[in-house]
Amino acid sequence: MLIGGIEAGGTKMVCAIGETDGSLETEVKIVDRIFVPTKSPEETLPEMIQYFQKWDIQTLGIGCFGPVDLNRNSATYGCITKTPKPGWAYCDIAGAFTNALQIPVGFDTDVNGAILGEVVWGAAKGCESAIYITVGTGIGVGVYCNGKLVHGLVHPEGGHILLERHPGDHFKGNCPFHANCAEGLAAGPAIEKRWGKPAIELADKQEVWEMEAFYLAQAIANYVLCYSPQKIVLWGGVMHQKQLFAMVREKVKKILNGYVDHEMLDAQIDQYIVAPALGENPGILGAMCLGMLESTVYKGLHRVGI
Ligand code: ADP
Ligand code: ZN
């Protein structure tokens, strides 16, 4: 059986087709994938719809950049909500695919999709609670708690958690909403603005990564205290600086200072804060998983008002 997945990003839309036996026991095999640049919805959505119409897919999942409306009782369920991205505010992205393809469409944030993929097939397999943190153009946190993806008033926005400043950091921050949030201090664009060069060109500058780990470790320590995840999957463009993993683990240990008493935060911390096991694919596989759950658990009924 074929299924579709979309990783909807502010720069590009990844659209892919997966092959599955329909069970969550076996990992979906990606059989085709395209990248569509994110222009206006009027240009981008028809191109994506045309792609999926060429395949006989039974279900589709979308992991979407946010903020999004995940409340199934809301009139704007399935929409991107208040985004500065021209044309996309209140775009009914899930509805566009449901109407065009007439199949169940699963919908969640990109990071919730990614943690779902990692829980079902990847590094957090079997966990009841786990989080996925992406450190890229922004910082996003997908939260899976007690066997469910966390939604709420809106959805968690862990990237905007407030942090204590590094004593040597005089950068004013890069978030228009908060002076001291994780995204504004530690996402890729913040690194670039603070140090005057793209993060990838700063690989050999120890002080850059010390400061980066100082911020990421604070955020992670707070997520540990609030969500008590059994696994933390850490990824995004900035984490391609692999040296950060060891630095972050060490600093998380130091910040928590033995208070959370578990071997995962001590001897086994290198198995606790990890890179995804799904390589570069947690987002797209997670999106497909959202689609599979939608067809089995929800059967798409909310869209037709039943
Ligand atoms: P997005 O968050 O838009 O999905 P990415 O996860 O690829 O995209 O993140 C892009 C950010 O990651 C950019 O700010 C870029 O500077 C940074 N980045 C990409 N590759 C590297 C690298 N090898 N080392 C450090 N930073 C990187
Ligand atoms: Zn912020």
Side-chain angles (χ1 to χ4, degrees):
M1 160 168 98
L2 296 179
I3 59 175
I6 299 172
E7 207 180 341
T11 331
K12 65 175 188 300
M13 303 283 184
V14 185
C15 303
I17 305 296
E19 197 176 349
T20 170
D21 59 8
S23 126
L24 291 177
E25 303 297 312
T26 22
E27 191 175 319
V28 171
K29 185 170 157 249
I30 295 175
V31 294
D32 196 67
R33 176 185 340 227
I34 60 161
F35 299 89
V36 179
T38 309
K39 298 181 196 157
S40 69
E42 293 72 25
E43 290 168 279
T44 308
L45 294 179
E47 195 178 335
M48 296 163 77
I49 287 167
Q50 262 175 27
Y51 170 72
F52 286 111
Q53 279 170 335
K54 284 191 275 181
W55 299 84
D56 183 24
I57 55 172
Q58 305 300 307
T59 179
L60 174 73
I62 307 173
C64 192
F65 71 93
V68 289
D69 188 346
L70 302 176
N71 176 2
R72 289 175 184 272
N73 297 317
S74 157
T76 52
Y77 170 77
C79 293
I80 294 165
T81 58
K82 219 171 105 186
T83 174
K85 198 145 180 63
W88 289 90
Y90 289 94
C91 168
D92 183 7
I93 183 164
F97 288 94
T98 310
N99 293 335
L101 304 175
Q102 297 288 313
I103 53 173
V105 174
F107 184 65
D108 214 309
T109 62
D110 45 6
V111 278
N112 266 1
I115 191 56
L116 182 65
E118 288 291 325
V119 163
V120 175
W121 296 305
K125 195 167 178 171
C127 288
E128 280 290 308
S129 296
I131 61 172
Y132 181 95
I133 308 167
T134 178
V135 190
T137 307
I139 295 185
V141 185
V143 184
Y144 182 84
C145 257
N146 297 336
K148 280 183 99 172
L149 292 171
V150 174
H151 305 158
L153 186 65
V154 184
H155 46 74
E157 285 282 11
H160 293 263
I161 194 166
L162 303 182
L163 304 178
E164 190 177 304
R165 272 185 173 266
H166 190 285
D169 188 10
H170 306 295
F171 175 59
K172 69 176 171 45
N174 197 39
C175 174
F177 296 91
H178 318 110
N180 289 351
C181 75
E183 178 167 306
L185 293 172
I191 301 174
E192 180 166 349
K193 283 195 185 160
R194 178 187 292 112
W195 302 98
K197 273 188 195 175
I200 194 166
E201 292 173 29
L202 297 161
D204 57 346
K205 294 265 180 290
Q206 180 68 9
E207 66 272 30
V208 171
W209 307 111
E210 274 297 328
M211 190 178 285
E212 184 67 9
F214 172 88
Y215 288 131
L216 295 180
Q218 276 190 66
I220 290 172
N222 284 324
Y223 306 143
V224 170
L225 294 168
C226 292
Y227 295 123
S228 206
Q230 293 157 316
K231 192 73 84 173
I232 295 173
V233 184
L234 185 54
W235 202 230
V238 172
M239 291 311 300
H240 286 71
Q241 298 295 321
K242 296 280 178 61
Q243 73 276 22
L244 269 174
F245 279 91
M247 296 164 83
V248 166
R249 289 178 188 128
E250 212 39 54
K251 288 186 195 299
V252 167
K253 249 163 92 168
K254 229 180 220 154
I255 292 168
L256 291 174
N257 201 21
Y259 180 74
V260 181
D261 183 21
H262 197 283
E263 58 199 0
M264 279 297 198
L265 284 155
D266 192 6
Q268 293 181 23
I269 196 157
D270 54 346
Q271 293 159 53
Y272 184 54
I273 301 173
V274 296
L278 302 179
E280 297 292 336
N281 296 322
I284 200 73
L285 288 175
M288 290 179 184
C289 196
L290 287 169
M292 291 173 77
L293 290 182
E294 188 72 19
S295 62
T296 55
V297 179
Y298 299 108
K299 302 198 171 55
L301 297 183
H302 60 282
R303 298 297 312 180
V304 289
I306 297 169

